[in-house]
Amino acid sequence: MITINNELSLEDYIKVGHTTSRIRPFHPAEVRLRIYPLSTEITEDFLIEFTLHNKRVMTMGSSLDQLFSYALLGSTDITIMDANNLTIPFFYMKLAALKVLSREEFIAFFYNDISEKKSSRFLDKEIYLKFKNNIPDKYRSFWDNMYNEGIINRLFHFYPSAADGMLPYYLSSDETYEYVRSIIDDITINITITDLSKFSNYLNDEYNLIDLSNVYTYVEKKKYWDAVNNLGNFLSVDGIFKLHYMEKNSIDEDEFDLLGKKSEYLPIKNINNGFIIWYNDERCYKEFHKSVPILK
C-alpha cells in the first residue's frame, strides 16, 4: 500500500522540473532540488548488523535506496520524509524500473559515473522506454516531458554514484535485487513532502529506526536539533536513531549526545566514513547488533 502526502499537480511538477534544470552545478539550491540517482552513502556495513523484521522505519527520501534496502532487511512499514518535491515522481520511476529491468539494466540507468561518459547509459532513453508504461500516468507524463525537452539530466546531482562494489545493499547481488522485487508490493510505504521542521507533524505511532541520513550537513543547526528532539518522541523503546553519516574526524561525537542518550560512532570498513547513532536502551543495542541472514 502506498500513501502520498502533499503531492503536486502535473503542471506544478513540470514547473519544479524547469526550475531545477536551471540551477548551476554546486549552487546551494541543488541540495534541496536535485535528485540523487543512487545513494552516495555506503550503508551496507551498517545494514548487515541489524534485523528490521516487521519493524517500522522512518527514513529520508533522497535516492530512495534506503527504502529498498530496509525492505530487504525485513521492514514492512516504511515512512519516507523529504523536502524535495521531485521525490514522488522519482519514487514512481524507480519503483517501475525495479519491477521491469534486470539488475544490470537498473544499475546502468541510475549509475552516474562521470568518469565514464562515453560508455555511460545513465538515464538512457532506450532503457526508460522499457519500463515507462509501469509509471502511473501523471508521473509518466512528467518524465516524458523532461525527456522531450532535453533537460532530464539536469534534474540529477552531478556527483558520481558509489563505486562499483559499494552499491546500495539491495543491488549487491542478483539475489538481493530479485528478492526486493518480489516483496516490494507487500510493503506499506508512506511518502510525505514537507520541511524538516514539520516531519514530526506527519508521523504516527512509534518507529524502530529513524534515519536522517546526512541532513545535518545541509540545514541550520538549531533547526536540526529541534527536529531531532521532536522526532525522538516517536522512537520506540527498543529503537535506533541514525543521526548522521560522516567522516570520523569531521565532528565532535559528543555533540550528538542528546535526550540523555550516548551516541556511538559505527565505522564502515575500507573507507573513512561511518554513522552516528544512539539507542533508546541497552536491549535495543543487543538486539540490533545481532547479524541475521536476510535471504534463506
Side-chain angles (χ1 to χ4, degrees), residues 7 58 69 72 83 124 137 209 250:
E7 64 180 323
M58 191 228 92
S69 290
L72 172 63
D124 186 287
D137 290 348
L209 172 64
S250 66

Side-chain angles (χ1 to χ4, degrees), residues 260-293:
K261 310 297 187 299
K262 177 68 176 175
S263 64
E264 177 187 9
Y265 182 82
L266 295 183
I268 300 172
K269 297 174 184 176
N270 303 321
I271 61 175
N272 293 325
N273 288 1
F275 301 95
I276 286 285
I277 66 174
W278 53 256
Y279 310 90
N280 238 357
D281 68 6
E282 290 186 6
R283 286 175 297 166
C284 169
Y285 179 91
K286 293 176 181 177
E287 178 180 354
F288 278 87
H289 268 62
K290 293 177 182 177
S291 181
V292 298

Side-chain angles (χ1 to χ4, degrees), residues 7 16 40 56 73 78 91 97 100-101 225 237 245 271 295:
E7 64 180 323
V16 172
T40 57
R56 303 184 76 219
L73 284 164
I78 301 174
F91 163 76
V100 174
L101 300 179
W225 291 118
V237 172
Y245 174 80
I271 61 175
L295 301 173

Side-chain angles (χ1 to χ4, degrees), residues 57-252:
V57 172
M58 191 228 92
T59 184
M60 300 298 297
S62 192
S63 67
L64 296 165
D65 290 326
Q66 288 90 338
L67 162 65
F68 299 122
S69 290
Y70 288 150
L72 172 63
L73 284 164
S75 178
T76 55
D77 189 331
I78 301 174
T79 294
I80 296 169
M81 309 291 291
D82 211 286
N84 187 343
N85 280 300
L86 294 182
T87 297
I88 296 173
F90 186 54
F91 163 76
Y92 282 110
M93 170 189 262
K94 210 161 197 180
L95 182 64
L98 174 75
K99 291 182 177 181
V100 174
L101 300 179
S102 68
R103 173 174 166 267
E104 290 72 21
E105 289 173 322
F106 187 96
I107 293 172
F109 186 79
F110 292 109
Y111 186 94
N112 177 19
D113 189 338
I114 58 177
S115 67
E116 298 179 1
K117 289 182 179 179
K118 291 183 179 180
S119 60
S120 174
R121 298 198 70 188
F122 178 56
L123 302 176
D124 186 287
K125 191 169 185 179
E126 288 186 10
I127 299 179
Y128 171 68
L129 293 175
K130 291 184 177 183
F131 68 84
K132 63 170 280 185
N133 289 336
N134 282 60
I135 303 174
D137 290 348
K138 180 169 78 171
Y139 304 107
R140 182 173 68 248
S141 295
F142 167 77
W143 291 115
D144 284 349
N145 183 278
M146 297 298 102
Y147 272 99
N148 292 339
E149 295 198 22
I151 61 176
I152 181 71
N153 289 64
R154 283 181 267 161
L155 304 187
F156 291 82
H157 280 282
F158 290 91
Y159 304 116
S161 300
D164 188 30
M166 292 191 288
L167 291 165
Y169 189 35
Y170 72 103
L171 294 176
S172 60
S173 69
D174 288 339
E175 289 76 19
T176 55
Y177 182 77
E178 293 296 335
Y179 183 71
V180 170
R181 192 199 328 241
S182 72
I183 64 171
I184 196 63
D185 285 336
D186 298 324
I187 308 300
T188 297
I189 301 171
N190 299 281
I191 305 177
T192 297
I193 305 303
T194 192
D195 185 76
L196 174 66
S197 62
K198 299 178 181 178
F199 278 11
S200 58
N201 295 347
Y202 290 89
L203 300 185
N204 59 80
D205 206 0
E206 295 182 332
Y207 295 81
N208 305 95
L209 172 64
I210 297 177
D211 180 355
L212 287 186
S213 185
N214 61 348
V215 168
Y216 174 89
T217 304
Y218 300 109
V219 300
E220 189 269 326
K221 295 305 173 277
K222 182 180 185 305
K223 182 177 183 178
Y224 173 85
W225 291 118
D226 285 347
V228 167
N229 276 279
N230 289 332
L231 291 171
N233 294 322
F234 294 90
L235 193 67
S236 66
V237 172
D238 63 347
I240 282 181
F241 204 134
K242 182 167 169 280
L243 294 160
H244 190 31
Y245 174 80
M246 55 177 279
E247 292 185 10
K248 172 69 173 175
N249 59 357
S250 66
I251 202 165
D252 181 0

Side-chain angles (χ1 to χ4, degrees), residues 47-58:
L47 292 169
I48 62 176
E49 294 293 327
F50 307 125
T51 172
L52 292 173
H53 183 63
N54 292 331
K55 295 185 181 295
R56 303 184 76 219
V57 172
M58 191 228 92

